[in-house]
């Protein structure tokens, strides 16, 4: 009994230490974002309470860069990508699971094989392709690649496999077309996997920096991550830590709100997919 209690205490101390290590950079970032005294130099060792509490870093962040516009742009990109990718994943997952057409297994294998190729390998061909068709510096460069959401197709197929095929057969007997069977019967039952895919896609799109940096050249179309990056590379060595941290804090607010309101579904999505974003 004493050995079990000791093991629990050790586990509690280890988890507490791990939590502190993971949370302390976030607390340091938020603290610095309110510290006007850190506008020229980052405090070290870290201060977890502002030396000169002020909202001036946030005012400076919104004055130097149109943060609100970039947040709206990010929502615009995320909404389009989520809509296209999830519809593509659900429809292809339904077809592979219930229609059982010829070569369906081969189609699934080919789709899954694209997951084995790192994005850095396909990034340059995609860039050249969009350059040739004149879609660079448009949001179509985000929406069209979302049609091939192999990971979502795999998850949707796995989920729909668990739904009874007799529902489709009953719908067909009652005279419903394949589209009606999907939208009226299977789609409402797919809400758990839809929520999971929305969360995963939103976090991925919201935090993405590399692809927007490549395809967007007009500053009015920048996403929020490009806006935060402007505070570092556009000003060379004249980096203002508190203003950069204020911009980074603002960029985190939508993701944090999503985590607070959808915490239950995020935990379930991680458990269901076995991955972390």
């Amino acid at each position: 009994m004493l050995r079990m209690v000791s093991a629990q205490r050790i586990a509690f101390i280890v988890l507490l230490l791990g939590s502190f290590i993971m949370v302390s950079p976030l607390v340091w970032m938020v603290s610095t974002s309110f510290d006007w005294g850190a506008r020229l130099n980052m405090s070290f060792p870290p201060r977890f309470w502002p030396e000169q509490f002020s909202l001036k870093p946030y005012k400076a962040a919104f004055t130097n860069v149109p943060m609100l516009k970039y947040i709206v742009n990010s929502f615009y990109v995320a909404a389009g990508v989520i809509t296209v990718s999830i519809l593509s994943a659900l429809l292809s997952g339904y077809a592979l699971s219930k229609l059982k057409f010829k070569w369906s297994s081969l189609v699934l294998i080919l789709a899954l094989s694209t997951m084995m190729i790192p994005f850095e390998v396909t990034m340059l061909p995609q860039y050249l392709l969009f350059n040739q068709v004149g879609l660079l510096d448009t949001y179509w460069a985000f929406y069209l690649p979302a049609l091939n959401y192999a990971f979502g197709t795999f998850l949707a197929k796995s989920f729909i496999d668990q739904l009874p095929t007799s529902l489709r057969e009953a719908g067909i007997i009652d005279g419903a077309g394949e589209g009606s069977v999907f939208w009226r019967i299977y789609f409402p039952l797919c809400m758990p996997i839809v929520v999971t895919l929305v969360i995963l896609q939103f976090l991925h799109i919201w935090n993405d920096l590399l692809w927007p940096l490549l395809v967007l050249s007009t500053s009015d179309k920048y996403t929020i991550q490009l806006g935060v990056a402007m505070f570092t590379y556009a000003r060379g060595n004249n980096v203002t830590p508190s203003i950069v941290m204020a911009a980074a804090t603002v960029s985190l607010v939508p993701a944090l709100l999503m985590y607070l309101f959808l915490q239950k579904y995020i935990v379930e999505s991680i458990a269901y997919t076995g991955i972390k974003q």
Side-chain angles (χ1 to χ4, degrees):
M1 186 66 182
L2 289 176
R3 184 176 297 177
M4 183 179 298
V5 173
S6 300
Q8 289 177 346
R9 287 179 178 175
I10 293 173
F12 175 76
I13 293 172
V14 171
L15 291 174
L16 187 64
L17 182 61
S19 301
F20 176 77
I21 293 173
M22 295 179 68
V23 172
S24 56
L26 180 64
V27 176
W28 188 19
M29 179 188 73
V30 176
S31 170
T32 305
S33 71
F34 288 101
D35 191 355
W36 189 240
R39 64 188 182 279
L40 297 178
N41 296 301
M42 180 72 79
S43 60
F44 193 85
R47 287 196 302 263
F48 294 104
W49 188 256
E51 185 181 43
Q52 300 178 26
F53 185 88
S54 174
L55 294 177
K56 288 182 180 178
Y58 286 89
K59 184 179 179 181
F62 280 88
T63 302
N64 288 293
V65 171
M67 299 288 288
L68 285 178
K69 184 175 183 58
Y70 293 162
I71 289 175
V72 172
N73 290 345
S74 289
F75 273 115
Y76 191 65
V77 171
V81 170
I82 288 172
T83 302
V84 171
S85 61
I86 291 180
L87 281 178
S88 170
L90 288 177
L91 290 172
S92 56
Y94 172 78
L96 291 170
S97 175
K98 299 302 179 188
L99 300 189
K100 303 295 183 185
F101 56 90
K102 191 177 182 180
W103 307 114
S104 60
S105 299
L106 179 61
V107 171
L108 179 61
I109 292 173
L110 290 175
L112 293 179
S113 65
T114 61
M115 295 170 54
M116 310 300 171
I117 305 173
F119 171 71
E120 288 75 10
V121 175
T122 62
M123 179 178 62
L124 184 57
Q126 284 190 51
Y127 176 84
L128 295 175
L129 176 63
F130 284 117
N131 186 38
Q132 287 293 325
V133 298
L135 292 180
L136 285 182
D137 201 26
T138 71
Y139 292 146
W140 287 106
F142 296 90
Y143 302 153
L144 292 180
L147 286 169
N148 178 29
Y149 187 26
F151 181 66
T153 299
F154 172 71
L155 286 185
K157 179 188 178 302
S158 301
F159 187 85
I160 296 174
D161 280 343
Q162 302 172 19
L163 302 177
T165 305
S166 58
L167 294 174
R168 174 178 176 269
E169 295 171 349
I172 296 295
I173 291 173
D174 288 342
E178 206 65 61
S180 296
V181 170
F182 172 75
W183 287 110
R184 295 185 179 182
I185 299 177
Y186 283 95
F187 184 73
L189 298 175
C190 289
M191 280 302 112
I193 194 64
V194 170
V195 174
T196 298
L197 294 176
V198 167
I199 293 169
L200 295 177
Q201 280 290 77
F202 179 81
L203 294 178
H204 171 69
I205 298 301
W206 191 267
N207 294 323
D208 190 19
L209 172 66
L210 183 56
W211 186 241
L213 185 63
L214 281 175
V215 300
L216 297 178
S217 55
T218 303
S219 60
D220 285 343
K221 298 177 182 177
Y222 280 2
T223 59
I224 184 61
Q225 299 304 333
L226 289 178
V228 174
M230 289 174 67
F231 285 97
T232 55
Y233 69 75
R235 286 165 176 74
N237 295 323
N238 299 321
V239 176
T240 51
S242 61
I243 299 176
V244 173
M245 293 302 176
T249 302
V250 170
S251 73
L252 278 179
V253 169
L256 289 176
L257 290 177
M258 170 169 274
Y259 177 78
L260 290 176
F261 288 105
L262 300 177
Q263 185 177 9
K264 173 186 173 184
Y265 298 104
I266 292 174
V267 173
E268 288 180 355
S269 69
I270 292 173
Y272 186 77
T273 61
I275 65 170
K276 293 186 291 183
Q277 292 274 330

